[in-house]
Amino acid sequence: MTAAPKRAPVRYFSLMLGFLAAQGVDTTRLLEMARIESGRFERSDGMLLPMEVESLIIAAHRLTGRTDLGFEVGRLIKLNSHDLLGYAMLSCEDLDRMLRLTSRYYHFINELFTLRYRRWPERGEAVFVPVVAMPVQTMRFSLDVIALSVQNQLEMLFGPEMTPYDIRMGMPAPEHHARYASLGAARFHFDDRALPGITLSMDRALLDRPFPMASPQVVKQVEERMQSLQRRPVPDAGWGDYVAMLLRESTGQVTLDDIAQRMNISARTIDRNLKKEHLNFRDLSQQVRFERARELLGQRGATVARVAEQLGFSDAANFSRAFRRHAGVTPGEFQQQAGSGAGP
């Protein structure tokens, strides 16, 4: 039986449309560009497929020229934006219990990502990981939304005067990165060598701080209604596309164990699913690595030695031999052919 495709609730994108309309943007035109019917946004339980999310983000960027829309959308998300689950989150006893609850039911918020939470005596860590392949622009929009929604919701719960905490984002610093610096107790860190995702790190003082609206009975009632609907988010039928996306969007050297750890599954599980598609991790990794090599070699002023260093080769000679085996030409020959418009 084929698993249902992952989707994202329209309620969060309705916030974006409302924000843009207030800025004077023609949202009717935006939806026409995205080829999405406006009636899809009239139901609070409506959903968008990943390709529709991508079309909407591309259309919004083309129409506005803005690259910070994910930042703006995240600022609009509150705990009660999450429908029934949001009220259970507000009713938890403290942040530790809220994160435990949310990690179990995060697919009710966003099926395109999963949330894993771990707690130690002195600190805790919540990790948001994509579970579908998506283009770079869509990924960075999504990471902006998640990071800002986390910051916004924590500030609403505790106020601006709270224990500092860290949000690490697996993406390059965006054009609007200066806006992150003024966001209260949150300390944001960008890393383009990390796997795409977000890691939220907090100390015990913040995790164990009581919530003012705690109601274990409300939490229990909501959980009873949600348990029958729970399913574990995993990539749709396309593990090769998903793993390749993770590799492409990290400029560092990523291993199968790195991906398995981030997804909280075994490396054997990933390997088994890749084999079902007649793929293996090593070949995918090499394919993506040399795609990156072509991209870097094509940049103005690029040198073979510098590209070899960026890709993690021990020296330029090793890189040149490996590139020739993969592409049939040396890196220098590839640059000459690319410069003349006759690349392989």
Side-chain angles (χ1 to χ4, degrees), residues 87-105:
Y87 292 101
M89 294 162 69
L90 277 168
S91 302
C92 289
E93 296 180 44
D94 52 35
L95 183 57
D96 176 77
R97 288 176 174 82
M98 189 190 85
L99 288 169
R100 293 180 190 277
L101 172 78
T102 310
S103 67
R104 292 195 295 272
Y105 301 104

mmCIF file of all heavy atoms in Angstrom, residues 87-105:
data_model
loop_
_atom_site.group_PDB
_atom_site.id
_atom_site.type_symbol
_atom_site.label_atom_id
_atom_site.label_comp_id
_atom_site.label_asym_id
_atom_site.label_seq_id
_atom_site.Cartn_x
_atom_site.Cartn_y
_atom_site.Cartn_z
ATOM 1 N N TYR A 87 -3.481 24.168 21.500
ATOM 2 C CA TYR A 87 -4.076 24.323 22.833
ATOM 3 C C TYR A 87 -3.487 23.316 23.819
ATOM 4 O O TYR A 87 -3.302 23.622 24.995
ATOM 5 C CB TYR A 87 -5.602 24.190 22.746
ATOM 6 C CG TYR A 87 -6.218 25.354 22.008
ATOM 7 C CD1 TYR A 87 -6.601 25.244 20.680
ATOM 8 C CD2 TYR A 87 -6.377 26.596 22.627
ATOM 9 C CE1 TYR A 87 -7.139 26.320 19.985
ATOM 10 C CE2 TYR A 87 -6.909 27.677 21.951
ATOM 11 C CZ TYR A 87 -7.284 27.536 20.624
ATOM 12 O OH TYR A 87 -7.794 28.609 19.938
ATOM 13 N N ALA A 88 -3.167 22.138 23.328
ATOM 14 C CA ALA A 88 -2.493 21.165 24.195
ATOM 15 C C ALA A 88 -1.098 21.665 24.561
ATOM 16 O O ALA A 88 -0.649 21.510 25.704
ATOM 17 C CB ALA A 88 -2.411 19.812 23.504
ATOM 18 N N MET A 89 -0.407 22.278 23.604
ATOM 19 C CA MET A 89 0.923 22.816 23.876
ATOM 20 C C MET A 89 0.862 23.900 24.943
ATOM 21 O O MET A 89 1.678 23.946 25.868
ATOM 22 C CB MET A 89 1.542 23.359 22.576
ATOM 23 C CG MET A 89 1.826 22.273 21.535
ATOM 24 S SD MET A 89 2.069 22.913 19.852
ATOM 25 C CE MET A 89 3.627 23.777 20.033
ATOM 26 N N LEU A 90 -0.124 24.797 24.837
ATOM 27 C CA LEU A 90 -0.307 25.849 25.843
ATOM 28 C C LEU A 90 -0.642 25.282 27.214
ATOM 29 O O LEU A 90 -0.345 25.902 28.241
ATOM 30 C CB LEU A 90 -1.430 26.787 25.410
ATOM 31 C CG LEU A 90 -1.096 27.894 24.427
ATOM 32 C CD1 LEU A 90 -2.371 28.522 23.900
ATOM 33 C CD2 LEU A 90 -0.223 28.946 25.095
ATOM 34 N N SER A 91 -1.238 24.098 27.224
ATOM 35 C CA SER A 91 -1.709 23.509 28.480
ATOM 36 C C SER A 91 -0.675 22.620 29.151
ATOM 37 O O SER A 91 -0.954 22.051 30.218
ATOM 38 C CB SER A 91 -2.985 22.697 28.211
ATOM 39 O OG SER A 91 -3.999 23.515 27.644
ATOM 40 N N CYS A 92 0.495 22.471 28.553
ATOM 41 C CA CYS A 92 1.548 21.657 29.169
ATOM 42 C C CYS A 92 2.072 22.327 30.437
ATOM 43 O O CYS A 92 1.910 23.533 30.647
ATOM 44 C CB CYS A 92 2.696 21.447 28.184
ATOM 45 S SG CYS A 92 2.294 20.328 26.819
ATOM 46 N N GLU A 93 2.732 21.529 31.279
ATOM 47 C CA GLU A 93 3.232 22.049 32.550
ATOM 48 C C GLU A 93 4.472 22.906 32.383
ATOM 49 O O GLU A 93 4.695 23.840 33.161
ATOM 50 C CB GLU A 93 3.504 20.888 33.508
ATOM 51 C CG GLU A 93 2.249 20.112 33.892
ATOM 52 C CD GLU A 93 2.552 18.974 34.840
ATOM 53 O OE1 GLU A 93 3.330 19.174 35.791
ATOM 54 O OE2 GLU A 93 2.016 17.869 34.621
ATOM 55 N N ASP A 94 5.304 22.595 31.405
ATOM 56 C CA ASP A 94 6.523 23.366 31.170
ATOM 57 C C ASP A 94 7.012 23.107 29.752
ATOM 58 O O ASP A 94 6.405 22.324 29.008
ATOM 59 C CB ASP A 94 7.603 23.025 32.210
ATOM 60 C CG ASP A 94 7.866 21.530 32.331
ATOM 61 O OD1 ASP A 94 7.793 20.837 31.293
ATOM 62 O OD2 ASP A 94 8.142 21.055 33.443
ATOM 63 N N LEU A 95 8.100 23.767 29.375
ATOM 64 C CA LEU A 95 8.612 23.640 28.013
ATOM 65 C C LEU A 95 9.106 22.236 27.716
ATOM 66 O O LEU A 95 8.962 21.732 26.593
ATOM 67 C CB LEU A 95 9.745 24.654 27.795
ATOM 68 C CG LEU A 95 10.357 24.714 26.395
ATOM 69 C CD1 LEU A 95 9.290 25.005 25.340
ATOM 70 C CD2 LEU A 95 11.459 25.768 26.336
ATOM 71 N N ASP A 96 9.684 21.577 28.687
ATOM 72 C CA ASP A 96 10.152 20.205 28.486
ATOM 73 C C ASP A 96 8.992 19.304 28.070
ATOM 74 O O ASP A 96 9.094 18.566 27.083
ATOM 75 C CB ASP A 96 10.788 19.688 29.780
ATOM 76 C CG ASP A 96 11.220 18.235 29.680
ATOM 77 O OD1 ASP A 96 12.259 17.962 29.060
ATOM 78 O OD2 ASP A 96 10.496 17.360 30.216
ATOM 79 N N ARG A 97 7.883 19.392 28.786
ATOM 80 C CA ARG A 97 6.729 18.552 28.452
ATOM 81 C C ARG A 97 6.101 18.982 27.126
ATOM 82 O O ARG A 97 5.602 18.151 26.370
ATOM 83 C CB ARG A 97 5.708 18.604 29.586
ATOM 84 C CG ARG A 97 6.163 17.852 30.836
ATOM 85 C CD ARG A 97 5.158 18.021 31.959
ATOM 86 N NE ARG A 97 5.490 17.212 33.111
ATOM 87 C CZ ARG A 97 6.376 17.554 34.056
ATOM 88 N NH1 ARG A 97 7.047 18.704 33.943
ATOM 89 N NH2 ARG A 97 6.602 16.769 35.090
ATOM 90 N N MET A 98 6.133 20.278 26.839
ATOM 91 C CA MET A 98 5.584 20.742 25.566
ATOM 92 C C MET A 98 6.375 20.185 24.389
ATOM 93 O O MET A 98 5.809 19.764 23.381
ATOM 94 C CB MET A 98 5.580 22.264 25.514
ATOM 95 C CG MET A 98 4.826 22.812 24.298
ATOM 96 S SD MET A 98 5.025 24.588 24.045
ATOM 97 C CE MET A 98 6.568 24.602 23.116
ATOM 98 N N LEU A 99 7.705 20.169 24.496
ATOM 99 C CA LEU A 99 8.527 19.649 23.409
ATOM 100 C C LEU A 99 8.363 18.142 23.254
ATOM 101 O O LEU A 99 8.405 17.614 22.138
ATOM 102 C CB LEU A 99 9.989 20.019 23.641
ATOM 103 C CG LEU A 99 10.320 21.506 23.432
ATOM 104 C CD1 LEU A 99 11.715 21.833 23.941
ATOM 105 C CD2 LEU A 99 10.192 21.882 21.958
ATOM 106 N N ARG A 100 8.189 17.439 24.365
ATOM 107 C CA ARG A 100 7.933 15.993 24.271
ATOM 108 C C ARG A 100 6.619 15.733 23.536
ATOM 109 O O ARG A 100 6.528 14.852 22.669
ATOM 110 C CB ARG A 100 7.889 15.377 25.672
ATOM 111 C CG ARG A 100 9.218 15.400 26.406
ATOM 112 C CD ARG A 100 9.108 14.762 27.790
ATOM 113 N NE ARG A 100 10.304 14.982 28.574
ATOM 114 C CZ ARG A 100 11.400 14.254 28.506
ATOM 115 N NH1 ARG A 100 11.446 13.224 27.668
ATOM 116 N NH2 ARG A 100 12.445 14.530 29.262
ATOM 117 N N LEU A 101 5.598 16.504 23.885
ATOM 118 C CA LEU A 101 4.299 16.363 23.230
ATOM 119 C C LEU A 101 4.398 16.701 21.744
ATOM 120 O O LEU A 101 3.934 15.939 20.883
ATOM 121 C CB LEU A 101 3.288 17.287 23.915
ATOM 122 C CG LEU A 101 1.925 17.398 23.226
ATOM 123 C CD1 LEU A 101 1.079 16.164 23.546
ATOM 124 C CD2 LEU A 101 1.190 18.668 23.664
ATOM 125 N N THR A 102 5.008 17.847 21.448
ATOM 126 C CA THR A 102 5.075 18.315 20.063
ATOM 127 C C THR A 102 5.877 17.360 19.187
ATOM 128 O O THR A 102 5.537 17.143 18.018
ATOM 129 C CB THR A 102 5.697 19.719 20.006
ATOM 130 O OG1 THR A 102 5.033 20.576 20.938
ATOM 131 C CG2 THR A 102 5.558 20.308 18.618
ATOM 132 N N SER A 103 6.930 16.769 19.732
ATOM 133 C CA SER A 103 7.730 15.840 18.928
ATOM 134 C C SER A 103 6.924 14.602 18.536
ATOM 135 O O SER A 103 7.168 14.012 17.482
ATOM 136 C CB SER A 103 8.998 15.435 19.693
ATOM 137 O OG SER A 103 8.686 14.669 20.837
ATOM 138 N N ARG A 104 5.954 14.226 19.362
ATOM 139 C CA ARG A 104 5.117 13.059 19.031
ATOM 140 C C ARG A 104 4.096 13.376 17.945
ATOM 141 O O ARG A 104 3.685 12.477 17.193
ATOM 142 C CB ARG A 104 4.399 12.555 20.285
ATOM 143 C CG ARG A 104 5.313 11.937 21.330
ATOM 144 C CD ARG A 104 4.535 11.132 22.352
ATOM 145 N NE ARG A 104 3.645 11.934 23.166
ATOM 146 C CZ ARG A 104 3.993 12.547 24.307
ATOM 147 N NH1 ARG A 104 5.241 12.460 24.735
ATOM 148 N NH2 ARG A 104 3.119 13.237 25.002
ATOM 149 N N TYR A 105 3.669 14.616 17.869
ATOM 150 C CA TYR A 105 2.563 14.971 16.969
ATOM 151 C C TYR A 105 2.941 16.086 15.996
ATOM 152 O O TYR A 105 2.062 16.775 15.481
ATOM 153 C CB TYR A 105 1.342 15.400 17.801
ATOM 154 C CG TYR A 105 0.865 14.331 18.737
ATOM 155 C CD1 TYR A 105 1.147 14.412 20.101
ATOM 156 C CD2 TYR A 105 0.160 13.222 18.278
ATOM 157 C CE1 TYR A 105 0.724 13.418 20.977
ATOM 158 C CE2 TYR A 105 -0.254 12.223 19.138
ATOM 159 C CZ TYR A 105 0.034 12.331 20.490
ATOM 160 O OH TYR A 105 -0.381 11.344 21.346
#
